Amino acid sequence: MDEEVKNKTIDSLKLIFAVTVVAMHGFLLESQYNRYILGILTNGLFRSAVPFFFIVSGYLFFKTIKNNTTKKWFSHIIK
């Protein structure tokens, strides 16, 4: 059985975007001083996290279908 090769670039980006989502939803960056910078971050960079996760999920699921490991994937999801 061949080992699954991890894409470290995608994993790194997933970590960065996950931290930004938690920071945004947890209101960790709210401040009354830097409203302009926080507005740019919240409306610009942070809003790209959800589309990024959508695209990465589709990419990874396509690899699952291509490798004929959908049964393994569904059993992993159910567990």
PDB file of all heavy atoms in Angstrom, residues 55-74:
ATOM      1  N   ILE A  55     -12.048  25.744  -1.469  1.00  0.00           N
ATOM      2  CA  ILE A  55     -11.230  25.310  -2.596  1.00  0.00           C
ATOM      3  C   ILE A  55     -10.315  24.152  -2.204  1.00  0.00           C
ATOM      4  O   ILE A  55     -10.188  23.165  -2.932  1.00  0.00           O
ATOM      5  CB  ILE A  55     -10.420  26.490  -3.159  1.00  0.00           C
ATOM      6  CG1 ILE A  55     -11.358  27.485  -3.821  1.00  0.00           C
ATOM      7  CG2 ILE A  55      -9.351  26.030  -4.138  1.00  0.00           C
ATOM      8  CD1 ILE A  55     -10.711  28.810  -4.156  1.00  0.00           C
ATOM      9  N   VAL A  56      -9.692  24.241  -1.034  1.00  0.00           N
ATOM     10  CA  VAL A  56      -8.801  23.170  -0.587  1.00  0.00           C
ATOM     11  C   VAL A  56      -9.580  21.885  -0.352  1.00  0.00           C
ATOM     12  O   VAL A  56      -9.117  20.795  -0.700  1.00  0.00           O
ATOM     13  CB  VAL A  56      -8.027  23.602   0.680  1.00  0.00           C
ATOM     14  CG1 VAL A  56      -7.343  22.430   1.343  1.00  0.00           C
ATOM     15  CG2 VAL A  56      -7.003  24.648   0.317  1.00  0.00           C
ATOM     16  N   SER A  57     -10.772  21.993   0.214  1.00  0.00           N
ATOM     17  CA  SER A  57     -11.585  20.797   0.437  1.00  0.00           C
ATOM     18  C   SER A  57     -11.934  20.132  -0.892  1.00  0.00           C
ATOM     19  O   SER A  57     -11.888  18.898  -1.008  1.00  0.00           O
ATOM     20  CB  SER A  57     -12.862  21.150   1.190  1.00  0.00           C
ATOM     21  OG  SER A  57     -12.554  21.657   2.455  1.00  0.00           O
ATOM     22  N   GLY A  58     -12.293  20.928  -1.884  1.00  0.00           N
ATOM     23  CA  GLY A  58     -12.587  20.368  -3.199  1.00  0.00           C
ATOM     24  C   GLY A  58     -11.377  19.716  -3.828  1.00  0.00           C
ATOM     25  O   GLY A  58     -11.471  18.641  -4.425  1.00  0.00           O
ATOM     26  N   TYR A  59     -10.226  20.350  -3.691  1.00  0.00           N
ATOM     27  CA  TYR A  59      -8.991  19.802  -4.239  1.00  0.00           C
ATOM     28  C   TYR A  59      -8.650  18.463  -3.570  1.00  0.00           C
ATOM     29  O   TYR A  59      -8.332  17.480  -4.251  1.00  0.00           O
ATOM     30  CB  TYR A  59      -7.850  20.793  -4.046  1.00  0.00           C
ATOM     31  CG  TYR A  59      -6.481  20.252  -4.340  1.00  0.00           C
ATOM     32  CD1 TYR A  59      -6.072  20.011  -5.645  1.00  0.00           C
ATOM     33  CD2 TYR A  59      -5.588  19.972  -3.305  1.00  0.00           C
ATOM     34  CE1 TYR A  59      -4.811  19.510  -5.914  1.00  0.00           C
ATOM     35  CE2 TYR A  59      -4.331  19.473  -3.567  1.00  0.00           C
ATOM     36  CZ  TYR A  59      -3.945  19.242  -4.869  1.00  0.00           C
ATOM     37  OH  TYR A  59      -2.706  18.737  -5.125  1.00  0.00           O
ATOM     38  N   LEU A  60      -8.732  18.425  -2.259  1.00  0.00           N
ATOM     39  CA  LEU A  60      -8.400  17.196  -1.550  1.00  0.00           C
ATOM     40  C   LEU A  60      -9.430  16.098  -1.809  1.00  0.00           C
ATOM     41  O   LEU A  60      -9.082  14.923  -1.895  1.00  0.00           O
ATOM     42  CB  LEU A  60      -8.262  17.477  -0.060  1.00  0.00           C
ATOM     43  CG  LEU A  60      -7.094  18.396   0.320  1.00  0.00           C
ATOM     44  CD1 LEU A  60      -7.117  18.690   1.806  1.00  0.00           C
ATOM     45  CD2 LEU A  60      -5.766  17.789  -0.085  1.00  0.00           C
ATOM     46  N   PHE A  61     -10.708  16.471  -1.928  1.00  0.00           N
ATOM     47  CA  PHE A  61     -11.724  15.464  -2.229  1.00  0.00           C
ATOM     48  C   PHE A  61     -11.558  14.934  -3.645  1.00  0.00           C
ATOM     49  O   PHE A  61     -11.787  13.750  -3.897  1.00  0.00           O
ATOM     50  CB  PHE A  61     -13.129  16.031  -2.021  1.00  0.00           C
ATOM     51  CG  PHE A  61     -14.188  14.990  -2.096  1.00  0.00           C
ATOM     52  CD1 PHE A  61     -14.261  13.993  -1.138  1.00  0.00           C
ATOM     53  CD2 PHE A  61     -15.109  14.992  -3.122  1.00  0.00           C
ATOM     54  CE1 PHE A  61     -15.234  13.013  -1.202  1.00  0.00           C
ATOM     55  CE2 PHE A  61     -16.088  14.025  -3.195  1.00  0.00           C
ATOM     56  CZ  PHE A  61     -16.153  13.027  -2.235  1.00  0.00           C
ATOM     57  N   PHE A  62     -11.154  15.781  -4.591  1.00  0.00           N
ATOM     58  CA  PHE A  62     -10.889  15.312  -5.949  1.00  0.00           C
ATOM     59  C   PHE A  62      -9.763  14.287  -5.950  1.00  0.00           C
ATOM     60  O   PHE A  62      -9.828  13.285  -6.663  1.00  0.00           O
ATOM     61  CB  PHE A  62     -10.549  16.488  -6.870  1.00  0.00           C
ATOM     62  CG  PHE A  62     -10.195  16.062  -8.259  1.00  0.00           C
ATOM     63  CD1 PHE A  62     -11.174  15.644  -9.129  1.00  0.00           C
ATOM     64  CD2 PHE A  62      -8.877  16.064  -8.685  1.00  0.00           C
ATOM     65  CE1 PHE A  62     -10.865  15.233 -10.419  1.00  0.00           C
ATOM     66  CE2 PHE A  62      -8.549  15.664  -9.964  1.00  0.00           C
ATOM     67  CZ  PHE A  62      -9.546  15.240 -10.836  1.00  0.00           C
ATOM     68  N   LYS A  63      -8.721  14.533  -5.152  1.00  0.00           N
ATOM     69  CA  LYS A  63      -7.626  13.556  -5.052  1.00  0.00           C
ATOM     70  C   LYS A  63      -8.131  12.240  -4.477  1.00  0.00           C
ATOM     71  O   LYS A  63      -7.695  11.170  -4.885  1.00  0.00           O
ATOM     72  CB  LYS A  63      -6.497  14.112  -4.184  1.00  0.00           C
ATOM     73  CG  LYS A  63      -5.616  15.095  -4.912  1.00  0.00           C
ATOM     74  CD  LYS A  63      -4.517  15.673  -4.063  1.00  0.00           C
ATOM     75  CE  LYS A  63      -3.718  14.663  -3.316  1.00  0.00           C
ATOM     76  NZ  LYS A  63      -2.618  15.242  -2.528  1.00  0.00           N
ATOM     77  N   THR A  64      -9.075  12.307  -3.532  1.00  0.00           N
ATOM     78  CA  THR A  64      -9.650  11.102  -2.946  1.00  0.00           C
ATOM     79  C   THR A  64     -10.419  10.310  -3.994  1.00  0.00           C
ATOM     80  O   THR A  64     -10.297   9.088  -4.079  1.00  0.00           O
ATOM     81  CB  THR A  64     -10.584  11.485  -1.781  1.00  0.00           C
ATOM     82  OG1 THR A  64      -9.833  12.185  -0.805  1.00  0.00           O
ATOM     83  CG2 THR A  64     -11.208  10.271  -1.153  1.00  0.00           C
ATOM     84  N   ILE A  65     -11.218  10.997  -4.792  1.00  0.00           N
ATOM     85  CA  ILE A  65     -11.981  10.325  -5.850  1.00  0.00           C
ATOM     86  C   ILE A  65     -11.038   9.753  -6.904  1.00  0.00           C
ATOM     87  O   ILE A  65     -11.225   8.626  -7.376  1.00  0.00           O
ATOM     88  CB  ILE A  65     -12.989  11.304  -6.486  1.00  0.00           C
ATOM     89  CG1 ILE A  65     -14.076  11.651  -5.475  1.00  0.00           C
ATOM     90  CG2 ILE A  65     -13.598  10.727  -7.750  1.00  0.00           C
ATOM     91  CD1 ILE A  65     -15.006  12.744  -5.928  1.00  0.00           C
ATOM     92  N   LYS A  66     -10.018  10.511  -7.261  1.00  0.00           N
ATOM     93  CA  LYS A  66      -9.069  10.073  -8.294  1.00  0.00           C
ATOM     94  C   LYS A  66      -8.316   8.810  -7.858  1.00  0.00           C
ATOM     95  O   LYS A  66      -8.037   7.935  -8.677  1.00  0.00           O
ATOM     96  CB  LYS A  66      -8.084  11.205  -8.573  1.00  0.00           C
ATOM     97  CG  LYS A  66      -7.143  10.954  -9.703  1.00  0.00           C
ATOM     98  CD  LYS A  66      -6.256  12.163  -9.930  1.00  0.00           C
ATOM     99  CE  LYS A  66      -5.168  11.860 -10.922  1.00  0.00           C
ATOM    100  NZ  LYS A  66      -4.235  12.976 -11.051  1.00  0.00           N
ATOM    101  N   ASN A  67      -8.005   8.715  -6.564  1.00  0.00           N
ATOM    102  CA  ASN A  67      -7.255   7.558  -6.057  1.00  0.00           C
ATOM    103  C   ASN A  67      -8.166   6.392  -5.668  1.00  0.00           C
ATOM    104  O   ASN A  67      -7.679   5.385  -5.149  1.00  0.00           O
ATOM    105  CB  ASN A  67      -6.420   7.959  -4.846  1.00  0.00           C
ATOM    106  CG  ASN A  67      -5.332   8.928  -5.217  1.00  0.00           C
ATOM    107  OD1 ASN A  67      -4.873   8.964  -6.349  1.00  0.00           O
ATOM    108  ND2 ASN A  67      -4.910   9.727  -4.253  1.00  0.00           N
ATOM    109  N   ASN A  68      -9.478   6.510  -5.913  1.00  0.00           N
ATOM    110  CA  ASN A  68     -10.454   5.467  -5.581  1.00  0.00           C
ATOM    111  C   ASN A  68     -10.405   5.083  -4.105  1.00  0.00           C
ATOM    112  O   ASN A  68     -10.430   3.908  -3.751  1.00  0.00           O
ATOM    113  CB  ASN A  68     -10.261   4.236  -6.464  1.00  0.00           C
ATOM    114  CG  ASN A  68     -10.641   4.501  -7.893  1.00  0.00           C
ATOM    115  OD1 ASN A  68     -11.532   5.295  -8.164  1.00  0.00           O
ATOM    116  ND2 ASN A  68      -9.957   3.848  -8.813  1.00  0.00           N
ATOM    117  N   THR A  69     -10.308   6.070  -3.236  1.00  0.00           N
ATOM    118  CA  THR A  69     -10.308   5.803  -1.796  1.00  0.00           C
ATOM    119  C   THR A  69     -11.508   6.451  -1.119  1.00  0.00           C
ATOM    120  O   THR A  69     -11.436   6.847   0.034  1.00  0.00           O
ATOM    121  CB  THR A  69      -9.008   6.322  -1.162  1.00  0.00           C
ATOM    122  OG1 THR A  69      -8.867   7.712  -1.458  1.00  0.00           O
ATOM    123  CG2 THR A  69      -7.798   5.565  -1.656  1.00  0.00           C
ATOM    124  N   THR A  70     -12.632   6.517  -1.846  1.00  0.00           N
ATOM    125  CA  THR A  70     -13.814   7.169  -1.280  1.00  0.00           C
ATOM    126  C   THR A  70     -14.402   6.368  -0.125  1.00  0.00           C
ATOM    127  O   THR A  70     -14.901   6.953   0.835  1.00  0.00           O
ATOM    128  CB  THR A  70     -14.891   7.393  -2.352  1.00  0.00           C
ATOM    129  OG1 THR A  70     -15.145   6.161  -3.023  1.00  0.00           O
ATOM    130  CG2 THR A  70     -14.462   8.437  -3.348  1.00  0.00           C
ATOM    131  N   LYS A  71     -14.349   5.035  -0.191  1.00  0.00           N
ATOM    132  CA  LYS A  71     -14.871   4.218   0.918  1.00  0.00           C
ATOM    133  C   LYS A  71     -14.078   4.484   2.188  1.00  0.00           C
ATOM    134  O   LYS A  71     -14.646   4.620   3.272  1.00  0.00           O
ATOM    135  CB  LYS A  71     -14.824   2.731   0.570  1.00  0.00           C
ATOM    136  CG  LYS A  71     -15.835   2.322  -0.453  1.00  0.00           C
ATOM    137  CD  LYS A  71     -15.785   0.836  -0.692  1.00  0.00           C
ATOM    138  CE  LYS A  71     -16.780   0.447  -1.772  1.00  0.00           C
ATOM    139  NZ  LYS A  71     -16.758  -0.984  -2.034  1.00  0.00           N
ATOM    140  N   LYS A  72     -12.772   4.563   2.060  1.00  0.00           N
ATOM    141  CA  LYS A  72     -11.920   4.872   3.211  1.00  0.00           C
ATOM    142  C   LYS A  72     -12.223   6.262   3.749  1.00  0.00           C
ATOM    143  O   LYS A  72     -12.299   6.472   4.959  1.00  0.00           O
ATOM    144  CB  LYS A  72     -10.448   4.766   2.805  1.00  0.00           C
ATOM    145  CG  LYS A  72      -9.464   5.021   3.898  1.00  0.00           C
ATOM    146  CD  LYS A  72      -8.045   4.891   3.372  1.00  0.00           C
ATOM    147  CE  LYS A  72      -7.043   5.278   4.421  1.00  0.00           C
ATOM    148  NZ  LYS A  72      -5.669   5.229   3.915  1.00  0.00           N
ATOM    149  N   TRP A  73     -12.444   7.231   2.845  1.00  0.00           N
ATOM    150  CA  TRP A  73     -12.742   8.606   3.241  1.00  0.00           C
ATOM    151  C   TRP A  73     -14.068   8.673   3.979  1.00  0.00           C
ATOM    152  O   TRP A  73     -14.157   9.305   5.040  1.00  0.00           O
ATOM    153  CB  TRP A  73     -12.777   9.484   1.994  1.00  0.00           C
ATOM    154  CG  TRP A  73     -12.986  10.924   2.283  1.00  0.00           C
ATOM    155  CD1 TRP A  73     -12.030  11.835   2.636  1.00  0.00           C
ATOM    156  CD2 TRP A  73     -14.210  11.647   2.250  1.00  0.00           C
ATOM    157  NE1 TRP A  73     -12.605  13.060   2.815  1.00  0.00           N
ATOM    158  CE2 TRP A  73     -13.947  12.976   2.590  1.00  0.00           C
ATOM    159  CE3 TRP A  73     -15.535  11.270   1.966  1.00  0.00           C
ATOM    160  CZ2 TRP A  73     -14.937  13.953   2.651  1.00  0.00           C
ATOM    161  CZ3 TRP A  73     -16.507  12.239   2.030  1.00  0.00           C
ATOM    162  CH2 TRP A  73     -16.202  13.557   2.363  1.00  0.00           C
ATOM    163  N   PHE A  74     -15.121   8.004   3.427  1.00  0.00           N
ATOM    164  CA  PHE A  74     -16.427   8.032   4.096  1.00  0.00           C
ATOM    165  C   PHE A  74     -16.391   7.325   5.443  1.00  0.00           C
ATOM    166  O   PHE A  74     -17.021   7.782   6.395  1.00  0.00           O
ATOM    167  CB  PHE A  74     -17.503   7.404   3.196  1.00  0.00           C
ATOM    168  CG  PHE A  74     -18.037   8.339   2.166  1.00  0.00           C
ATOM    169  CD1 PHE A  74     -17.866   8.081   0.822  1.00  0.00           C
ATOM    170  CD2 PHE A  74     -18.689   9.513   2.535  1.00  0.00           C
ATOM    171  CE1 PHE A  74     -18.344   8.952  -0.132  1.00  0.00           C
ATOM    172  CE2 PHE A  74     -19.180  10.388   1.574  1.00  0.00           C
ATOM    173  CZ  PHE A  74     -19.001  10.099   0.239  1.00  0.00           C
TER     174      PHE A  74
END
